Amino acid sequence: MSKSLWLTAIGVLVLILVAVFAIRLSSNKGEVSIVNQAGEAIRSGQLEICKQQFSLGQVQPKQSKEIHYKVRSDSHYDVTIEFESGKKLSRQVGYVTSGMDFHDRLTVTDDDVSLSSRD
């Protein structure tokens, strides 16, 4: 292999590494607090955002759970909640946009899930 071919191959490799590094740096952060304002405990639940899934576990009334995620794409919050009584809620709320950081609050009541910003 000639010297110029090696230099070209090394140059391409360096450009690929720089691009991968730049993409990793450009990943924004999101955090969402799930606040239980319902009259009963949340038995379990799931949150999906930016193709990432999180299990909520149990959340008592007036308690909250914090979830951190990477904003990799534009996405809604897909929320599924199951209360101690067996009642279930599924909602798609809000919207996050790549290129920004998010600090949101999802408030769970007896029959709804609403979004507000914590900024």
Side-chain angles (χ1 to χ4, degrees):
M1 218 174 180
S2 72
K3 184 177 180 179
S4 64
L5 190 55
W6 272 107
L7 289 175
T8 302
I10 290 171
V12 168
L13 181 59
V14 167
L15 287 174
I16 290 171
L17 290 173
V18 167
V20 168
F21 184 71
I23 289 169
R24 292 193 71 166
L25 283 180
S26 69
S27 179
N28 291 93
K29 296 175 185 166
E31 59 183 41
V32 61
S33 182
I34 291 85
V35 181
N36 184 0
Q37 293 294 330
E40 63 178 308
I42 296 171
R43 178 186 301 156
S44 64
Q46 185 162 337
L47 172 71
E48 184 174 337
I49 184 76
C50 299
K51 299 180 183 175
Q52 299 162 77
Q53 293 184 357
F54 302 93
S55 177
L56 300 182
Q58 191 172 46
V59 183
Q60 295 297 322
K62 309 293 184 211
Q63 299 288 317
S64 63
K65 179 163 188 168
E66 188 91 8
I67 294 176
H68 298 269
Y69 61 93
K70 291 184 180 181
V71 182
R72 297 178 178 156
S73 61
D74 297 354
S75 179
H76 294 281
Y77 290 101
D78 288 314
V79 185
T80 302
I81 301 291
E82 182 178 350
F83 292 106
E84 283 294 327
S85 65
K87 179 180 173 181
K88 294 183 180 183
L89 287 177
S90 290
R91 298 286 188 273
Q92 188 177 67
V93 296
Y95 201 72
V96 300
T97 305
S98 59
M100 298 178 64
D101 291 334
F102 288 87
H103 309 280
D104 292 327
R105 177 181 295 120
L106 293 175
T107 303
V108 179
T109 60
D110 290 320
D111 33 43
D112 204 7
V113 177
S114 62
L115 174 74
S116 59
S117 178
R118 293 187 308 173
D119 286 342

